[in-house]
């Protein structure tokens, strides 16, 4: 459990959004935190990858190779199910 304090302007915006959409303020705060964490995790993974590339530990892959790898992984998952 957590308690947060928001500046009045954010509190009013959040309250208005919750009222307009008939959702709770907690719903929107939770959603915002989840999206923020997803973005930060993606950013940190990318940053670590860039550092490994800069150090010569890993190599950069062309976009086309990544697309093909993604397709192969998803095709194999379809077969497994």
């Amino acid at each position: 459990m957590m308690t947060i304090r928001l500046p009045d302007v954010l509190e009013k915006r959040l309250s208005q959004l919750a009222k307009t959409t008939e959702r709770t303020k907690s719903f929107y705060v939770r959603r915002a935190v989840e999206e923020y964490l997803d973005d930060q995790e993606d950013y940190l993974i990318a940053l670590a990858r860039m550092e490994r590339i800069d150090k010569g530990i890993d190599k950069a892959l062309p976009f086309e190779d990544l697309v093909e790898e993604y397709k192969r992984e998803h095709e194999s998952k379809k077969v497994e199910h």
Side-chain angles (χ1 to χ4, degrees), residues 14-25 27-28:
L14 182 59
S15 293
Q16 185 60 47
L17 178 63
K19 181 179 177 183
T20 301
T21 60
E22 297 181 354
R23 299 244 187 205
T24 64
K25 292 189 285 185
F27 170 83
Y28 287 109

Side-chain angles (χ1 to χ4, degrees), residues 24-36:
T24 64
K25 292 189 285 185
S26 293
F27 170 83
Y28 287 109
V29 171
R30 185 173 38 256
R31 190 167 170 197
V33 170
E34 286 172 355
E35 288 180 22
Y36 176 81

